[in-house]
């Protein structure tokens, strides 16, 4: 039963037996081969930022300083800031792709359209653009221009942040001197600040880290979500299914993997258009499934079923049923080509910065998106024809899920209970204690944790204690596979107070039963929706975000992006749980600041706990403290 030590996902367990029998290495095997992992790296006390190194600090004795004189505190803080800049750069580059598309839509160069005019107008007004008497392309052009200033402005306060952040927060950040200018300038500055012989002051480096968190939140997450909603439409509740059982041996199976919906939306469109060609090739049609966050994007807006999350990507290929996996950027294991070679299926990379040896590269551009998507889908049909006698093992595991809970969709459901004052039922129930509080579970899988276990165990405990959960990213995948994105979980697992509220809202919204106890809000950039919800809730209750009975949790974080999102959450004033420590434990000063002292400055802090029951207890204790402070 070794496979149950690696994952709680039954489909993944079945597939691991197959890869083991076939002698195909997966992420778990490579993790084992890496043991023991470097202690210096784990503690964050190695530095290779200049050619006099690499240097490492001995946590138990000498040496205490690197060749240049940097000590453990400096090295840990510097490494952390570089990681934060890495995660932030990924989100900001993603946002840029969307902004570039909006700009080109406005000038009429590309085959994308504006699907949500209301969001366009609302966004324009919020960032100070006069919309009266202008057509939507004119407004889109100005919105793109403002967005570009947020990305590349060299002075002043970042526009997207000023437009959306609560005033109280802006004042706090301004006092600390952490309000960013344009995103590119700040990311560049972090790289400069951490280079040899520049900043040695851990506090100054950590404040620069907070600034990266704000760049991530506003120029990455928020900007990407706003523009993607404008182009692809606002998510509304959808039903779908999750897990590898969504693959179907009788269909051409196309998997979209990565993050930016500009590619996956087009691929989906062409899968629908070329259905007849797939039938002519002997398939029953084309089946599209998603992995990671682009999977979340097309689930939220199109109901495309998610096949698996980060740790399951190789296992999807091991089914032998994936005819083509098309990827863009982020969280793509370089091993996917090896696994596909051992089983079946083409791996297609599409972005100039994300190529994988052994994959086919079909460069994706906004101008030729249709031709390229058509080519990719045609290749998947050809690949299907070559499937031949490849054994196909699709685990019969799939869970019904509901997704698509944008803030607008949640307010829509609540307005069925109180059309005049939609937030009132939610806030009244929080005040009355039927809902104890709310927790956002976000982020990744990490091979160091049994896949999905932390997400699922933590959330079960929270909902049993009447905590409403909202989820994004690979956390939402994990919870979906475990049945927690379905109303049955409300009936079977939620505490009585939470169950009563979700049932009342679900019935008023015409679902004929409760809402799920976990509301799927989308991809990792959609964490901005959580920020919007917190801002709205705090505004409605007349308190600050840091005073709300809420928390965030990344139960199984792996990516630098998870760290930058978490830093943004802490900057907003949110108590943020991590199921694994970042590589900072080599500095007591840095660890102490992030898990304790920072609370006095920002109202939020990090809380690290890897046992799900203890983590739930810690989060609930925090929520109760906040309720108490509010007199609830
Ligand atoms: O942006 S949750 S493993 S897929 S990094 Fe990656 Fe982490 Fe998954 Fe999405 Ni987010
Ligand atoms: Fe060593 Fe300092 Fe160079 Fe880092 S910057 S490698 S600590 S000499």
């Amino acid at each position: 039963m070794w496979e149950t030590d690696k994952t709680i996902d039954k489909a993944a367990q079945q597939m691991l037996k197959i890869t083991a029998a076939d002698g195909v290495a997966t992420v778990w095997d490579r993790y084992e081969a890496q043991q023991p992992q470097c202690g210096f790296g784990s503690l964050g006390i190695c530095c290779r930022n200049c050619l006099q190194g690499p240097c490492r600090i001995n946590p138990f004795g000498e040496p205490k300083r690197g060749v240049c004189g940097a000590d453990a505190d400096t090295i840990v803080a510097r490494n952390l800031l570089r990681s934060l800049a890495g995660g932030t750069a990924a989100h900001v580059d993603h946002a840029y792709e969307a902004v570039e598309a909006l700009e080109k839509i406005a000038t009429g160069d590309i085959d994308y359209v504006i699907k949500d005019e209301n969001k366009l107008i609302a966004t324009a007004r919020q960032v100070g653009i006069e919309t009266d008497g202008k057509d939507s392309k004119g407004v889109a052009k100005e919105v793109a221009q403002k967005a570009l200033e947020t990305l590349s402005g060299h002075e002043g306060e970042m526009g997207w942040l000023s437009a959306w952040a609560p005033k109280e927060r802006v004042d706090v950040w301004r006092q600390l001197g952490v309000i960013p200018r344009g995103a590119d300038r700040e990311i560049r500055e972090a790289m400069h600040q951490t280079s040899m012989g520049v900043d040695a002051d851990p506090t100054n480096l950590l404040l620069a880290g907070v600034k990266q968190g704000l760049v991530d939140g506003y120029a990455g997450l928020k900007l990407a979500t706003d523009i993607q909603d404008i182009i692809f439409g606002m998510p509304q509740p959808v039903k779908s299914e999750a897990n590898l059982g969504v693959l179907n041996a009788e269909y051409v199976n196309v998997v979209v993997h990565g993050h930016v919906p500009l590619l996956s939306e087009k691929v989906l469109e062409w899968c629908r258009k070329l259905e007849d060609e797939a039938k002519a090739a002997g398939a029953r049609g084309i089946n599209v499934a998603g992995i990671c966050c682009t999977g979340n994007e097309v689930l939220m807006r199109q109901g495309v079923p998610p096949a698996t999350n980060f740790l399951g990507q190789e296992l999807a290929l091991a089914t032998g049923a994936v005819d083509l996996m098309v990827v863009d950027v982020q969280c793509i294991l370089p091993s996917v080509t090896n696994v596909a070679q051992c089983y079946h299926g083409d791996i297609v990379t599409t972005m100039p910065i994300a190529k994988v040896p052994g994959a086919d590269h079909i460069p994706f551009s906004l101008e030729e998106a249709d031709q390229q998507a058509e080519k990719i889908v045609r290749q998947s049909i050809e690949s299907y024809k070559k499937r031949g006698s490849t054994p196909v093992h699709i685990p019969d595991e799939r869970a019904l899920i509901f997704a698509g809970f944008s803030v607008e969709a949640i307010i829509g459901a609540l307005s069925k209970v109180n059309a005049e004052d939609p937030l009132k039922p939610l806030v009244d129930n929080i005040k009355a204690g039927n809902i104890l509080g709310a927790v956002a579970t976000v982020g990744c899988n990490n091979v160091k944790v049994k896949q999905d276990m932390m997400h699922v165990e933590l959330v079960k405990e929270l909902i049993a204690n009447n905590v409403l959960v909202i989820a994004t990213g690979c956390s939402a995948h994990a919870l979906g596979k475990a049945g927690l994105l379905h109303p049955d979980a409300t009936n079977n697992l939620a505490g009585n107070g939470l169950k009563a509220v979700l049932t009342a809202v679900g019935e008023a919204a015409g679902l004929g039963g409760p809402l799920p106890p976990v509301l799927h809000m989308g991809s990792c950039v959609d964490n901005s929706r959580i920020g919007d919800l917190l801002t709205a809730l705090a505004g409605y209750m007349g308190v600050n975000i840091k005073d709300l009975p809420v928390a965030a949790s990344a139960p199984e974080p792996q990516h630098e992006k998870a760290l930058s999102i978490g830093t943004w959450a802490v900057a907003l004033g949110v108590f943020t749980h991590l199921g694994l420590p970042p590589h900072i434990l080599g500095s007591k000063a840095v660890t102490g600041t992030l898990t304790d002292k920072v609370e006095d400055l920002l109202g939020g802090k990090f809380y690290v706990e890897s046992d799900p029951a203890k983590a739930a207890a810690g989060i609930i204790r925090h929520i109760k403290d906040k309720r108490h402070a509010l007199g609830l």
Side-chain angles (χ1 to χ4, degrees):
M1 292 300 279
W2 54 269
E3 69 281 0
T4 54
D5 292 337
K6 301 192 181 338
T7 174
I8 64 163
D9 172 349
K10 292 213 159 45
Q13 289 169 2
Q14 287 181 40
M15 294 315 302
L16 277 172
K17 284 198 207 159
I18 290 172
T19 53
D22 294 339
V24 175
T26 65
V27 59
W28 285 275
D29 302 307
R30 292 187 299 273
Y31 176 60
E32 259 170 46
Q34 283 290 337
Q35 299 311 311
Q37 285 177 308
C38 173
F40 298 104
S42 302
L43 296 174
I45 45 177
C46 57
C47 178
R48 42 183 292 279
N49 289 7
C50 88
L51 303 187
Q52 300 170 98
C55 302
R56 73 256 186 289
I57 304 304
N58 183 345
F60 308 111
E62 294 298 326
K64 287 260 170 276
R65 289 180 184 269
V67 171
C68 67
D71 65 7
D73 298 334
T74 299
I75 291 175
V76 167
R78 217 160 48 180
N79 288 343
L80 178 64
L81 179 53
R82 278 216 165 177
S83 278
L84 292 169
T88 302
H91 282 141
V92 169
D93 218 23
H94 173 158
Y96 175 76
E97 303 265 338
V99 172
E100 189 187 24
L102 186 68
E103 194 186 24
K104 290 187 175 174
I105 291 171
T107 49
D109 288 347
I110 55 170
D111 283 328
Y112 289 84
V113 294
I114 291 167
K115 283 221 181 107
D116 192 336
E117 303 248 346
N118 292 336
K119 175 93 184 204
L120 173 68
I121 300 297
T123 306
R125 293 201 175 134
Q126 188 83 18
V127 298
I129 295 167
E130 177 60 57
T131 57
D132 289 349
K134 292 180 188 160
D135 68 356
S136 61
K137 284 198 168 176
V139 177
K141 199 169 171 200
E142 288 187 48
V143 169
Q145 205 48 49
K146 278 270 181 203
L148 287 170
E149 283 165 25
T150 275
L151 294 171
S152 59
H154 276 76
E155 51 195 35
E157 296 185 345
M158 174 178 276
W160 232 257
L161 179 149
S162 307
W164 298 100
K167 193 184 164 306
E168 176 267 348
R169 284 290 93 181
V170 175
D171 290 343
V172 169
W173 299 333
R174 200 176 279 142
Q175 265 189 355
L176 289 172
V178 295
I179 299 202
R181 298 155 294 185
D184 292 350
R185 176 156 197 195
E186 300 302 351
I187 294 165
R188 182 216 308 158
E189 191 171 88
M191 294 308 288
H192 178 189
Q193 189 171 357
T194 52
S195 68
M196 193 272 151
V198 184
D199 203 347
D201 178 351
T203 307
N204 204 40
L205 287 158
L206 291 179
L207 283 170
V210 174
K211 200 188 268 189
Q212 290 298 311
L214 295 178
V215 175
D216 193 70
Y218 293 98
L221 314 180
K222 178 71 181 146
L223 185 53
T225 302
D226 287 345
I227 307 295
Q228 288 173 184
D229 281 349
I230 291 170
I231 300 176
F232 298 114
M234 182 66 69
Q236 291 298 331
V238 284
K239 276 190 208 171
S240 190
E241 290 181 316
N243 216 339
L244 291 176
V246 305
L247 300 172
N248 191 322
E250 295 174 356
Y251 285 71
V252 175
N253 289 300
V254 175
V255 166
V256 290
H257 177 16
H259 283 79
V260 187
L262 291 163
L263 168 74
S264 49
E265 285 270 348
K266 277 288 176 203
V267 169
L268 181 62
E269 203 179 310
W270 279 93
C271 284
R272 287 172 181 159
K273 282 187 185 157
L274 298 180
E275 193 86 25
D276 285 344
E277 286 188 26
K279 286 182 183 156
R284 289 180 60 186
I286 305 181
N287 179 38
V288 186
I291 293 183
C292 286
C293 279
T294 216
N296 283 324
E297 297 282 358
V298 285
L299 165 66
M300 291 286 284
R301 298 193 182 86
Q302 308 274 359
V304 169
T308 189
N309 46 0
F310 173 70
L311 279 181
Q313 57 188 286
E314 295 165 310
L315 305 179
L317 294 164
T319 62
V322 174
D323 298 298
L324 185 142
M325 176 187 273
V326 57
V327 306
D328 50 29
V329 286
Q330 303 169 17
C331 300
I332 297 138
L333 294 175
S335 58
V336 285
T337 45
N338 296 338
V339 181
Q341 274 155 16
C342 294
Y343 294 92
H344 163 73
D346 295 350
I347 307 291
V348 175
T349 56
T350 55
M351 301 301 286
I353 61 160
K355 297 186 178 184
V356 181
D360 297 321
H361 189 71
I362 301 182
F364 182 79
S365 67
L366 291 168
E367 286 76 12
E368 292 180 29
D370 279 294
Q371 293 91 312
Q372 287 141 346
E374 182 179 2
K375 193 169 165 192
I376 290 165
V377 177
R378 286 234 159 82
Q379 182 167 334
S380 73
I381 299 170
E382 289 308 309
S383 172
Y384 168 83
K385 290 187 200 161
K386 289 187 266 174
R387 207 192 285 167
S389 57
T390 313
V392 170
H393 298 281
I394 300 175
D396 189 19
E397 296 287 341
R398 62 184 97 64
L400 288 169
I401 60 170
F402 285 61
F405 292 98
S406 54
V407 176
E408 292 77 354
I410 293 173
I411 302 237
L414 290 169
S415 68
K416 298 286 171 20
V417 181
N418 186 336
E420 304 288 296
D421 198 358
L423 282 177
K424 188 168 189 301
L426 181 61
V427 170
D428 283 352
N429 278 295
I430 293 173
K431 286 186 176 163
N434 297 325
I435 297 177
L436 191 69
V439 171
T441 67
V442 308
C444 324
N445 290 139
N446 181 319
V447 70
K448 293 177 177 174
V449 183
K450 192 190 291 189
Q451 184 190 12
D452 297 349
M453 182 279 290
M454 271 298 283
H455 294 286
V456 171
E457 294 303 315
L458 173 71
V459 167
K460 281 186 177 165
E461 197 67 29
L462 292 174
I463 61 177
N465 283 283
N466 297 308
V467 174
L468 177 66
V469 175
I470 47 189
T472 58
C474 288
S475 184
H477 283 267
L479 301 170
K481 290 187 285 177
L484 291 162
L485 300 184
H486 191 274
D488 284 353
T490 306
N491 289 325
N492 300 333
L493 299 169
N496 287 335
L498 180 63
K499 192 192 297 183
V501 178
L502 292 172
T503 304
V505 178
E507 282 177 353
L511 292 179
L515 285 173
V518 180
L519 303 178
H520 188 340
M521 291 192 94
S523 65
C524 289
V525 296
D526 289 331
N527 283 320
S528 65
R529 301 188 197 279
I530 297 169
D532 291 347
L533 189 60
L534 293 178
T535 304
L537 264 182
Y540 186 90
M541 292 173 74
V543 299
N544 297 320
I545 290 178
K546 66 182 168 61
D547 303 317
L548 291 172
V550 300
S553 169
E556 305 175 14
Q558 63 88 6
H559 205 282
E560 289 173 330
K561 291 178 288 171
L563 294 180
S564 40
I565 295 170
T567 305
W568 171 60
V570 169
L572 274 177
V574 177
F575 179 86
T576 300
H577 164 248
L578 300 174
L580 282 168
H583 301 316
I584 60 167
L585 299 183
S587 165
K588 280 205 181 81
V590 170
T591 306
T593 302
L594 295 179
T595 57
D596 181 19
K597 279 197 205 141
V598 69
E599 195 173 20
D600 294 337
L601 299 177
L602 292 168
K605 66 175 177 181
F606 284 105
Y607 161 59
V608 180
E609 174 54 63
S610 46
D611 177 280
K614 286 188 191 153
I619 290 170
I620 289 168
R621 201 179 318 121
H622 165 80
I623 287 176
K624 286 185 172 163
D625 287 349
K626 290 291 170 182
R627 291 185 64 89
H628 186 72
L630 285 172
L632 301 178

